[in-house]
Amino acid sequence: MTDEKLLILAREALKHSFSPYSKFRVGAALLAKSGKVYTGCNIENSSFSLTVCAERTALFKAISEGETEFSKILIVSDADDFITPCGACRQVISDLAGAVEIILTNAGGEMQHKNISDLLPFAFGQASLLTKRK
Ligand code: THU
């Protein structure tokens, strides 16, 4: 599965974006180690904080179908600037797909390759809950 093909799939998913409030469409394509691709778009809500981002839609779809290991997640929007995951998605990616390669793109189709420690250094995680406490 090439990055270019993932970009095509993420752009297809972006077309399903439900974003009447922000009018900011986002798509994601997540490649699981199984070889299957799970796509997602942002889904907004009139109670704004209930909005789910494209990245979490894709990840939750994959997890709910039994996937546990992931190779790449590519994110796309209509913006000229590179799209980067919000803080909530960084935390969810860190917890559920910590080893995934994160591919940021811009409207021109350029790509930047990152990993979660680039985007969320010093992360809180499962291990943090196991530390000795008073
Ligand atoms: N959004 C995403 O879906 N992914 C990102 O990486 C950044 C933001 C969505 C959430 C909301 O629907 C809209 O973009 C504006 O914040």
Coordinates of all heavy atoms in Angstrom, one line a residue, residues 22-84:
S22 N -17.7 24.0 11.2 CA -16.4 24.6 10.9 C -16.2 24.8 9.4 O -15.4 25.5 8.9 CB -15.3 23.7 11.4 OG -15.3 22.5 10.7
K23 N -16.9 24.0 8.6 CA -16.7 23.9 7.2 C -15.2 23.5 6.9 O -14.7 23.9 5.9 CB -17.1 25.2 6.5 CG -18.6 25.5 6.7 CD -19.1 26.5 5.7 CE -20.6 26.8 5.9 NZ -21.4 26.1 6.9
F24 N -14.6 22.7 7.7 CA -13.2 22.3 7.6 C -13.3 20.8 7.4 O -13.5 20.1 8.4 CB -12.4 22.7 8.8 CG -11.0 22.6 8.7 CD1 -10.2 23.5 8.1 CD2 -10.3 21.4 9.1 CE1 -8.8 23.4 8.0 CE2 -9.0 21.2 9.0 CZ -8.2 22.2 8.4
R25 N -13.1 20.3 6.2 CA -13.2 18.9 5.9 C -11.9 18.2 6.2 O -10.8 18.7 5.7 CB -13.6 18.7 4.5 CG -15.0 19.3 4.2 CD -15.5 18.9 2.8 NE -14.5 19.1 1.7 CZ -14.6 18.7 0.5 NH1 -15.6 17.9 0.2 NH2 -13.7 18.9 -0.4
V26 N -11.9 17.0 6.8 CA -10.7 16.2 7.1 C -11.0 14.8 6.8 O -12.1 14.3 7.0 CB -10.3 16.4 8.6 CG1 -8.9 15.6 8.8 CG2 -10.1 17.8 9.0
G27 N -10.0 14.1 6.2 CA -10.1 12.7 5.9 C -8.9 12.0 6.4 O -7.8 12.6 6.5
A28 N -9.0 10.7 6.7 CA -7.9 9.9 7.2 C -7.9 8.5 6.6 O -9.0 8.0 6.4 CB -7.9 9.8 8.7
A29 N -6.8 8.0 6.4 CA -6.7 6.6 5.9 C -5.7 5.9 6.8 O -4.5 6.3 6.8 CB -6.4 6.5 4.4
L30 N -6.1 4.8 7.4 CA -5.2 4.1 8.4 C -5.0 2.7 7.9 O -5.9 1.9 7.6 CB -6.0 4.0 9.7 CG -5.5 3.1 10.8 CD1 -4.2 3.7 11.4 CD2 -6.5 3.0 12.0
L31 N -3.7 2.4 7.7 CA -3.3 1.1 7.2 C -2.9 0.2 8.4 O -2.0 0.5 9.2 CB -2.1 1.2 6.3 CG -1.5 -0.1 5.8 CD1 -2.4 -0.9 4.9 CD2 -0.1 0.2 5.1
A32 N -3.7 -0.9 8.6 CA -3.4 -1.9 9.7 C -2.4 -2.8 9.2 O -2.2 -3.0 8.0 CB -4.7 -2.6 10.1
K33 N -1.7 -3.5 10.1 CA -0.7 -4.5 9.7 C -1.3 -5.6 9.0 O -0.6 -6.3 8.3 CB 0.1 -4.9 11.0 CG 1.0 -3.9 11.6 CD 2.5 -4.3 11.6 CE 3.4 -3.1 11.9 NZ 3.9 -3.1 13.3
S34 N -2.6 -5.9 9.2 CA -3.3 -6.9 8.5 C -3.3 -6.7 7.0 O -3.6 -7.5 6.2 CB -4.7 -7.0 9.0 OG -5.4 -5.8 8.6
G35 N -3.1 -5.4 6.6 CA -3.1 -5.0 5.2 C -4.4 -4.3 4.8 O -4.5 -3.7 3.8
K36 N -5.4 -4.3 5.8 CA -6.6 -3.6 5.5 C -6.5 -2.1 5.8 O -5.8 -1.7 6.7 CB -7.8 -4.1 6.4 CG -8.4 -5.4 5.8 CD -9.6 -5.9 6.6 CE -10.9 -5.0 6.5 NZ -12.0 -5.6 7.3
V37 N -7.2 -1.3 5.0 CA -7.2 0.2 5.2 C -8.6 0.6 5.8 O -9.6 0.1 5.3 CB -7.0 0.9 3.9 CG1 -7.1 2.4 4.1 CG2 -5.6 0.6 3.4
Y38 N -8.6 1.4 6.8 CA -9.8 1.9 7.5 C -9.7 3.4 7.3 O -8.8 4.1 7.6 CB -9.8 1.6 9.0 CG -9.9 0.1 9.2 CD1 -8.7 -0.6 9.2 CD2 -11.1 -0.5 9.4 CE1 -8.7 -2.0 9.4 CE2 -11.1 -1.9 9.6 CZ -9.9 -2.7 9.6 OH -10.0 -4.0 9.7
T39 N -10.8 4.0 6.7 CA -10.8 5.4 6.5 C -11.8 6.1 7.5 O -12.6 5.4 8.1 CB -11.3 5.7 5.0 OG1 -12.6 5.2 4.9 CG2 -10.4 5.1 4.0
G40 N -11.6 7.4 7.6 CA -12.5 8.2 8.5 C -12.6 9.6 8.0 O -11.7 10.1 7.2
C41 N -13.6 10.3 8.5 CA -13.8 11.7 8.2 C -14.2 12.3 9.6 O -14.6 11.6 10.5 CB -14.8 12.0 7.2 SG -16.5 11.4 7.6
N42 N -14.1 13.7 9.6 CA -14.6 14.3 10.8 C -16.1 14.4 10.8 O -16.7 14.6 9.8 CB -14.0 15.7 11.0 CG -14.1 16.6 9.9 OD1 -14.2 16.2 8.7 ND2 -14.2 17.9 10.1
I43 N -16.7 14.2 12.0 CA -18.2 14.2 12.1 C -18.5 15.1 13.2 O -18.2 14.9 14.4 CB -18.7 12.7 12.4 CG1 -18.2 11.8 11.4 CG2 -20.2 12.7 12.5 CD1 -18.4 10.3 11.7
E44 N -19.1 16.3 12.9 CA -19.3 17.3 13.8 C -20.7 17.2 14.5 O -21.5 16.4 14.0 CB -19.2 18.7 13.2 CG -17.8 18.9 12.7 CD -17.4 20.3 12.2 OE1 -18.4 21.1 11.9 OE2 -16.2 20.6 12.0
N45 N -20.9 17.9 15.6 CA -22.2 17.8 16.3 C -22.6 19.2 16.7 O -21.7 20.0 17.0 CB -22.0 16.9 17.5 CG -23.3 16.5 18.1 OD1 -23.8 17.2 18.9 ND2 -23.7 15.3 17.8
S46 N -23.9 19.4 16.8 CA -24.4 20.7 17.2 C -24.0 21.1 18.6 O -23.9 22.2 19.0 CB -25.9 20.8 17.1 OG -26.5 19.8 17.8
S47 N -23.7 20.0 19.4 CA -23.1 20.2 20.7 C -21.6 20.0 20.5 O -21.1 18.9 20.4 CB -23.6 19.2 21.7 OG -23.0 19.3 23.0
F48 N -20.9 21.1 20.2 CA -19.6 21.1 19.5 C -18.6 20.1 20.0 O -17.9 19.4 19.2 CB -19.0 22.5 19.4 CG -19.7 23.5 18.6 CD1 -19.4 24.8 18.8 CD2 -20.7 23.1 17.8 CE1 -20.1 25.8 18.0 CE2 -21.4 24.1 17.0 CZ -21.1 25.4 17.2
S49 N -18.6 19.9 21.4 CA -17.5 19.1 21.9 C -17.7 17.6 21.6 O -16.8 16.8 21.9 CB -17.4 19.3 23.4 OG -18.7 18.9 24.0
L50 N -18.8 17.2 21.1 CA -19.1 15.8 20.7 C -18.5 15.5 19.3 O -18.6 14.3 18.9 CB -20.6 15.5 20.8 CG -21.2 15.7 22.1 CD1 -22.7 15.3 22.1 CD2 -20.5 14.8 23.2
T51 N -18.0 16.5 18.7 CA -17.3 16.2 17.4 C -16.3 15.2 17.5 O -15.5 15.1 18.4 CB -16.7 17.6 16.9 OG1 -17.8 18.5 16.6 CG2 -15.8 17.3 15.6
V52 N -16.2 14.3 16.4 CA -15.1 13.3 16.4 C -14.3 13.6 15.1 O -14.8 13.8 14.0 CB -15.7 11.9 16.3 CG1 -14.6 10.9 16.2 CG2 -16.6 11.6 17.5
C53 N -13.0 13.6 15.3 CA -12.1 13.9 14.2 C -11.9 12.7 13.3 O -12.2 11.6 13.7 CB -10.7 14.3 14.8 SG -10.6 15.8 15.7
A54 N -11.4 13.0 12.1 CA -11.2 12.0 11.1 C -10.3 10.8 11.6 O -10.6 9.7 11.3 CB -10.6 12.6 9.8
E55 N -9.2 11.2 12.3 CA -8.3 10.2 12.8 C -8.9 9.3 13.7 O -8.7 8.0 13.7 CB -7.1 10.9 13.5 CG -6.3 11.9 12.6 CD -6.8 13.3 12.6 OE1 -8.0 13.5 12.6 OE2 -6.0 14.2 12.7
R56 N -9.7 9.8 14.7 CA -10.3 8.9 15.7 C -11.4 8.1 15.0 O -11.6 6.9 15.4 CB -10.9 9.7 16.8 CG -9.8 10.0 17.9 CD -10.2 10.9 19.0 NE -10.5 12.2 18.6 CZ -11.4 13.0 19.0 NH1 -12.2 12.6 20.0 NH2 -11.5 14.3 18.6
T57 N -12.1 8.6 14.0 CA -13.1 7.8 13.3 C -12.4 6.6 12.7 O -12.9 5.5 12.9 CB -13.8 8.6 12.2 OG1 -14.4 9.8 12.8 CG2 -14.9 7.8 11.5
A58 N -11.3 6.8 12.0 CA -10.6 5.7 11.4 C -10.1 4.7 12.4 O -10.3 3.5 12.2 CB -9.5 6.3 10.5
L59 N -9.5 5.2 13.5 CA -8.9 4.3 14.5 C -10.0 3.5 15.2 O -9.8 2.3 15.4 CB -8.2 5.2 15.5 CG -6.7 5.1 15.5 CD1 -6.1 6.1 16.4 CD2 -6.2 3.7 15.9
F60 N -11.1 4.2 15.5 CA -12.2 3.4 16.3 C -12.8 2.4 15.3 O -13.2 1.3 15.8 CB -13.2 4.4 16.8 CG -12.6 5.3 17.9 CD1 -13.3 6.5 18.3 CD2 -11.5 5.0 18.6 CE1 -12.8 7.3 19.3 CE2 -11.0 5.8 19.7 CZ -11.6 7.0 20.0
K61 N -13.0 2.7 14.1 CA -13.5 1.7 13.1 C -12.6 0.5 13.2 O -13.0 -0.7 13.2 CB -13.6 2.3 11.7 CG -14.8 3.2 11.5 CD -14.7 3.9 10.1 CE -14.8 3.0 8.9 NZ -14.7 3.7 7.7
A62 N -11.3 0.7 13.1 CA -10.3 -0.4 13.0 C -10.3 -1.2 14.2 O -10.4 -2.4 14.2 CB -8.9 0.2 12.7
I63 N -10.2 -0.5 15.4 CA -10.2 -1.2 16.7 C -11.5 -2.1 16.8 O -11.4 -3.2 17.3 CB -10.0 -0.2 17.8 CG1 -8.7 0.6 17.7 CG2 -10.2 -0.9 19.2 CD1 -7.5 -0.1 18.2
S64 N -12.6 -1.5 16.4 CA -13.9 -2.2 16.6 C -14.0 -3.4 15.7 O -14.9 -4.2 15.9 CB -15.0 -1.2 16.4 OG -15.1 -0.9 15.0
E65 N -13.1 -3.5 14.7 CA -13.1 -4.7 13.8 C -12.0 -5.6 14.2 O -11.6 -6.5 13.4 CB -13.1 -4.2 12.4 CG -14.3 -3.5 12.0 CD -14.6 -3.3 10.6 OE1 -14.1 -4.2 9.8 OE2 -15.3 -2.4 10.2
G66 N -11.3 -5.4 15.3 CA -10.4 -6.3 15.8 C -8.9 -6.0 15.5 O -8.0 -6.8 15.9
E67 N -8.6 -4.9 14.9 CA -7.2 -4.6 14.6 C -6.5 -4.1 15.8 O -7.1 -3.4 16.6 CB -7.2 -3.5 13.5 CG -7.9 -3.8 12.2 CD -7.1 -4.8 11.3 OE1 -6.0 -5.3 11.7 OE2 -7.6 -5.2 10.2
T68 N -5.3 -4.4 15.9 CA -4.5 -3.9 17.1 C -3.1 -3.3 16.7 O -2.5 -2.6 17.5 CB -4.2 -5.1 18.1 OG1 -3.6 -6.2 17.4 CG2 -5.5 -5.6 18.7
E69 N -2.7 -3.6 15.4 CA -1.4 -3.1 15.0 C -1.5 -2.3 13.7 O -2.2 -2.8 12.8 CB -0.4 -4.3 14.9 CG -0.1 -4.9 16.2 CD 1.1 -5.9 16.0 OE1 0.9 -6.9 15.4 OE2 2.2 -5.5 16.5
F70 N -0.8 -1.2 13.7 CA -1.0 -0.3 12.6 C 0.4 0.1 12.0 O 1.3 0.3 12.7 CB -1.8 0.9 13.0 CG -3.1 0.5 13.6 CD1 -3.3 0.4 15.0 CD2 -4.2 0.2 12.8 CE1 -4.5 0.0 15.6 CE2 -5.4 -0.2 13.3 CZ -5.5 -0.3 14.7
S71 N 0.4 0.3 10.6 CA 1.6 0.8 10.0 C 1.6 2.3 9.7 O 2.6 2.9 10.0 CB 1.7 0.1 8.6 OG 1.6 -1.3 8.8
K72 N 0.6 2.8 9.1 CA 0.6 4.2 8.8 C -0.8 4.8 8.9 O -1.8 4.1 8.7 CB 0.9 4.4 7.3 CG 2.1 3.7 6.7 CD 2.2 4.0 5.2 CE 3.2 3.1 4.6 NZ 3.3 3.4 3.1
I73 N -0.9 6.1 9.2 CA -2.1 6.8 9.1 C -1.8 8.1 8.3 O -0.9 8.9 8.7 CB -2.8 7.1 10.5 CG1 -4.1 7.8 10.3 CG2 -1.9 7.9 11.4 CD1 -5.0 7.9 11.6
L74 N -2.6 8.4 7.3 CA -2.4 9.6 6.5 C -3.6 10.5 6.7 O -4.8 10.0 6.7 CB -2.3 9.2 5.0 CG -2.0 10.3 4.0 CD1 -1.1 9.9 2.9 CD2 -3.3 10.9 3.5
I75 N -3.3 11.7 6.9 CA -4.4 12.7 7.2 C -4.4 13.8 6.1 O -3.3 14.2 5.6 CB -4.1 13.4 8.5 CG1 -3.8 12.3 9.6 CG2 -5.3 14.3 9.0 CD1 -3.1 12.8 10.8
V76 N -5.6 14.2 5.7 CA -5.7 15.1 4.6 C -6.8 16.1 4.9 O -7.8 15.8 5.6 CB -6.0 14.4 3.2 CG1 -7.4 13.8 3.2 CG2 -5.8 15.3 2.0
S77 N -6.6 17.4 4.4 CA -7.7 18.4 4.5 C -7.7 19.2 3.2 O -6.9 18.8 2.3 CB -7.5 19.3 5.7 OG -6.5 20.3 5.4
D78 N -8.5 20.2 3.1 CA -8.5 21.1 1.9 C -7.5 22.2 2.0 O -7.3 23.0 1.1 CB -9.9 21.7 1.6 CG -10.9 20.6 1.5 OD1 -10.8 19.7 0.7 OD2 -11.9 20.7 2.3
A79 N -6.8 22.3 3.2 CA -6.0 23.5 3.5 C -4.6 23.4 2.8 O -4.1 22.3 2.6 CB -5.8 23.5 5.0
D80 N -4.1 24.6 2.5 CA -2.8 24.7 1.9 C -1.7 24.3 2.9 O -0.7 23.7 2.5 CB -2.5 26.1 1.4 CG -3.3 26.5 0.2 OD1 -3.8 25.6 -0.5 OD2 -3.5 27.7 0.0
D81 N -2.0 24.6 4.2 CA -1.0 24.2 5.2 C -1.1 22.7 5.5 O -2.2 22.1 5.3 CB -1.3 25.0 6.5 CG -0.9 26.4 6.3 OD1 -0.1 26.8 5.5 OD2 -1.5 27.2 7.1
F82 N 0.0 22.1 6.0 CA -0.1 20.7 6.4 C -1.1 20.6 7.6 O -1.1 21.4 8.5 CB 1.3 20.2 6.9 CG 2.2 19.9 5.7 CD1 3.0 20.9 5.2 CD2 2.2 18.7 5.1 CE1 3.9 20.7 4.2 CE2 3.0 18.4 4.0 CZ 3.9 19.4 3.5
I83 N -1.9 19.5 7.5 CA -2.9 19.2 8.6 C -2.2 18.4 9.6 O -1.4 17.5 9.3 CB -4.1 18.5 8.0 CG1 -5.1 18.1 9.1 CG2 -3.8 17.2 7.2 CD1 -6.0 19.2 9.5
T84 N -2.4 18.8 10.9 CA -1.8 18.1 12.0 C -2.9 17.7 13.0 O -3.8 18.4 13.2 CB -0.7 18.9 12.7 OG1 -1.3 19.9 13.5 CG2 0.3 19.4 11.8

